[in-house]
Amino acid sequence: MVSSRKVDSLSRVLASREHGLCSAKPSAAVRGLWPRMALETLLTGHRGCVNHVQFNESGTLMASGSDDTRICLWDLQKSTPVLAHPSGHTANIFCVRFMPATGDNQLVSCAGDGQVRSHDLSTGNYTVYRHHTSRVKKLVTEPGNPHLIMSCSEDGTGAKGT
């Protein structure tokens, strides 16, 4: 069991990183948690900072969103990119999610351009949702529901899209 002190310390380090204070050094207690993590495979394909990854329900695919405004879809068995999808976003992608119950053919993304986009990977088409006036940082989907997207923005709003 991880002590609450270790969790609090890790939370402070991550919060410092999120606010651009990358010089924050983790405490010895937090460093003790990290040796159990080991690099298995390095996936290369983006040309910018990767901000988010999301596994599909079966764990065979992973989607990643990046500052290069592309969404990459990865075959985790082969450790290779299956698709490098031009998202249509004009700023950093902060979150990407597989839409439930779509056979891994639908993804949603949000970005610094204030948009949420729904991508049909089988056709390459997308739908743009403009509910926010500032950067959209997080998306949530409802398990089993391929029609509901919740988004959170720096403009202080949350939005429900269907």
Side-chain angles (χ1 to χ4, degrees):
M1 173 129 182
V2 178
S3 75
S4 63
R5 287 180 70 183
K6 288 181 183 179
V7 171
D8 288 344
S9 183
L10 179 60
S11 295
R12 280 194 304 278
V13 169
L14 294 176
S16 295
R17 180 189 168 277
E18 181 71 20
H19 295 314
L21 305 173
C22 294
S23 62
K25 300 288 184 206
S27 69
V30 172
R31 283 192 307 267
L33 295 173
W34 292 348
R36 294 185 294 232
M37 295 183 211
L39 178 64
E40 183 176 314
T41 305
L42 184 63
L43 303 173
T44 57
H46 282 289
R47 292 172 281 208
C49 173
V50 176
N51 297 312
H52 196 260
V53 296
Q54 173 74 41
F55 295 100
N56 67 344
E57 289 181 38
S58 65
T60 58
L61 296 173
M62 183 182 76
S64 57
S66 169
D67 287 358
D68 65 10
T69 70
R70 293 183 312 144
I71 296 170
C72 288
L73 194 62
W74 305 88
D75 179 328
L76 296 178
Q77 299 275 324
K78 299 176 185 172
S79 302
T80 57
V82 174
L83 177 71
H85 178 68
S87 69
H89 286 292
T90 58
N92 307 5
I93 296 174
F94 291 118
C95 189
V96 60
R97 296 236 180 241
F98 284 95
M99 287 302 290
T102 62
D104 301 330
N105 287 318
Q106 288 283 132
L107 289 172
V108 288
S109 61
C110 65
D113 57 11
Q115 298 177 0
V116 173
R117 290 176 177 245
S118 175
H119 308 268
D120 184 329
L121 299 178
S122 62
T123 65
N125 295 331
Y126 56 81
T127 303
V128 180
Y129 302 95
R130 291 185 173 93
H131 302 297
H132 300 286
T133 59
S134 187
R135 299 190 304 178
V136 184
K137 297 301 259 309
K138 195 71 168 176
L139 297 170
V140 177
T141 58
E142 181 182 28
N145 186 347
H147 306 291
L148 180 64
I149 308 164
M150 300 290 293
S151 57
C152 302
S153 171
E154 287 184 356
D155 64 11
T157 64
K160 176 181 171 183
T162 55

